[in-house]
Amino acid sequence: MDILGAQGNTSNTSNTSNSSDGGGNASVIAKRRELAQLASFFLKQHSAYDMIPVSFRLIVLDTKLLVTKALSTLVQNGVESAPMYDSALSCYAGMLTTTDLVNLVQYYYSNFSYTEAIDDLGQVQLENYKEMLLRLKSRQTNTLCANPLDTLYEVSRRLLATDYSTLALVDEDSETGSDVIVSVLSIYRILNFMAANIDDKKKLKQHTLYDLHIGTYGDLITAKMDTSVIDIIRMFVDDNISVVPILDDAGVVLNVFAESDIILLAREGLLGELTIPVSEAIALRPDDYAGVHTCTQADTLYSVLDTIRKTHVQRLIVVDDDIRPVGVVALSDVLRALIV
């Protein structure tokens, strides 16, 4: 398992164990089933409530907030999503996410000036946001939620039935019947919890990404260091993806640009200057940026989960022996392989 630094430096972070079963399809299928049963049993033994920290900060946005102020709250707090609450109806109203920001940026950058976009969004409240997304021909607002007492297995199934990576945990006030937003739960946190607490880690070491068919492979959407940020944002929207590998002229992975990087650009006040090359945007990352994690199809599920547990990685770029990209492993791909 390798990691590419913020500017493309490579260093080895862990040993890779190769354990592909090769042939023996019946044996591989049996092992996959056994692994999924193990993981599903673990997830059924724990509720979403088990994932709620003793002390934490939860940002909740009132639907009366203007869109500009709500997005500014995401940017200032460095978070990629926050639940919305309709105080008039006393109910949960969905999630505001980085993906929403990306869709808005692409639409307004293509059709209006930055000033016009700010003026327009400065008049729209979050309660009218769903209609705005539909008008922009974007996906609907994420209104996915779960009860804190639902099992992690139920929550995982609910998340995997959509293309969302986060949902809100919503309870009911016993006296008023109003929704109470308790916390948010992501696929990352579920996998992190599983990697740290599942007992039988031996079985996780017996399966490679190749064995389990984990990841998306084929014609990947990529860019170069001189590709403009707005062009990559269009790739996000047009191809419904959240990350684009950045390659050199030889096709070697140097870095990636993700939707989460848009938050950093917004914080730097650069949403009006998105024609800059992605190399300049990447240079804005802090010194403690975790880097870009890569793996091969020969990496075991254990090594992938261990990387997820130790870092806040949201995806892995699958590379060949020449560090050329051949696929992408999203956290949802990993979780899907662990569900019966």
Side-chain angles (χ1 to χ4, degrees):
M1 193 82 61
D2 291 329
I3 179 173
L4 302 180
Q7 300 302 323
N9 299 321
T10 305
S11 60
N12 187 267
T13 57
S14 65
N15 293 324
T16 300
S17 173
N18 297 336
S19 59
S20 176
D21 260 331
N25 289 335
S27 175
V28 170
I29 292 173
K31 287 184 178 181
R32 287 179 195 152
R33 186 181 300 112
E34 184 181 18
L35 177 63
Q37 289 172 343
L38 169 70
S40 295
F41 178 79
F42 173 85
L43 293 173
K44 289 176 181 178
Q45 302 309 303
H46 298 276
S47 70
Y49 185 83
D50 296 333
M51 301 290 295
I52 300 176
V54 175
S55 177
F56 66 100
R57 180 183 62 173
L58 177 64
I59 297 171
V60 179
L61 306 170
D62 192 289
T63 54
K64 293 297 183 183
L65 271 177
L66 297 174
V67 172
T68 48
K69 291 186 179 297
L71 292 173
S72 177
T73 300
L74 292 186
V75 171
Q76 291 171 8
N77 289 276
V79 295
E80 297 183 22
S81 62
M84 299 182 289
Y85 188 79
D86 188 326
S87 54
L89 299 176
S90 300
C91 67
Y92 167 65
M95 300 280 286
L96 183 69
T97 69
T98 306
T99 300
D100 297 331
L101 174 58
V102 167
N103 279 281
L104 288 173
V105 167
Q106 194 273 342
Y107 173 78
Y108 280 101
Y109 208 92
S110 299
N111 296 282
F112 305 96
S113 69
Y114 180 70
T115 302
E116 289 174 316
I118 295 299
D119 289 343
D120 193 5
L121 293 175
Q123 301 176 42
V124 178
Q125 295 178 325
L126 285 179
E127 63 184 352
N128 299 317
Y129 194 58
K130 297 177 185 179
E131 290 75 12
M132 171 179 277
L133 287 179
L134 290 174
R135 191 176 77 240
L136 302 186
K137 297 183 179 179
S138 173
R139 67 179 186 177
Q140 298 184 14
T141 302
N142 175 4
T143 57
L144 201 62
C145 64
N147 187 280
L149 296 181
D150 289 343
T151 67
L152 289 181
Y153 179 81
E154 293 172 307
V155 173
S156 298
R157 297 271 301 201
R158 202 165 299 171
L159 281 166
L160 292 176
T162 71
D163 62 347
Y164 301 123
S165 61
T166 305
L167 54 67
L169 297 179
V170 181
D171 207 347
E172 181 180 293
D173 187 303
S174 58
E175 295 183 0
T176 65
S178 302
D179 284 349
V180 178
I181 300 175
V182 178
S183 184
V184 294
L185 186 55
S186 65
I187 291 178
Y188 167 80
R189 288 182 59 199
I190 293 173
L191 289 175
N192 192 32
F193 181 75
M194 182 186 298
N197 294 289
I198 198 167
D199 291 328
D200 193 351
K201 293 181 172 60
K202 181 179 179 181
K203 288 187 174 63
L204 301 179
K205 298 178 181 180
Q206 296 175 343
H207 299 273
T208 66
L209 298 181
Y210 180 82
D211 291 340
L212 299 171
H213 303 295
I214 296 176
T216 300
Y217 301 89
D219 295 328
L220 298 182
I221 305 297
T222 63
K224 300 286 185 64
M225 279 293 193
D226 59 358
T227 304
S228 70
V229 172
I230 188 60
D231 283 340
I232 295 181
I233 289 176
R234 292 190 182 103
M235 296 176 191
F236 289 156
V237 176
D238 294 343
D239 296 286
N240 193 29
I241 55 177
S242 60
V243 63
V244 172
I246 309 300
L247 314 182
D248 65 11
D249 291 336
V252 173
V253 177
L254 295 177
N255 220 299
V256 300
F257 191 77
E259 284 186 342
S260 56
D261 285 306
I262 304 300
I263 292 291
L264 181 59
L265 290 176
R267 185 182 298 170
E268 296 293 329
L270 294 176
L271 289 184
E273 304 176 32
L274 298 181
T275 55
I276 63 172
V278 71
S279 58
E280 292 186 22
I282 289 172
L284 295 172
R285 289 170 176 164
D287 293 336
D288 61 354
Y289 176 70
V292 182
H293 292 265
T294 65
C295 64
T296 71
Q297 286 185 284
D299 277 311
T300 64
L301 184 58
Y302 177 83
S303 67
V304 170
L305 286 173
D306 190 53
T307 298
I308 293 170
R309 184 177 62 84
K310 292 178 178 178
T311 69
H312 199 72
V313 62
Q314 297 296 312
R315 67 203 49 87
L316 299 169
I317 306 299
V318 186
V319 296
D320 60 18
D321 292 339
D322 297 316
I323 320 182
R324 291 187 173 89
V326 296
V328 176
V329 172
L331 298 189
S332 58
D333 296 327
V334 179
L335 183 59
R336 186 170 286 107
L338 296 171
I339 295 291
V340 174

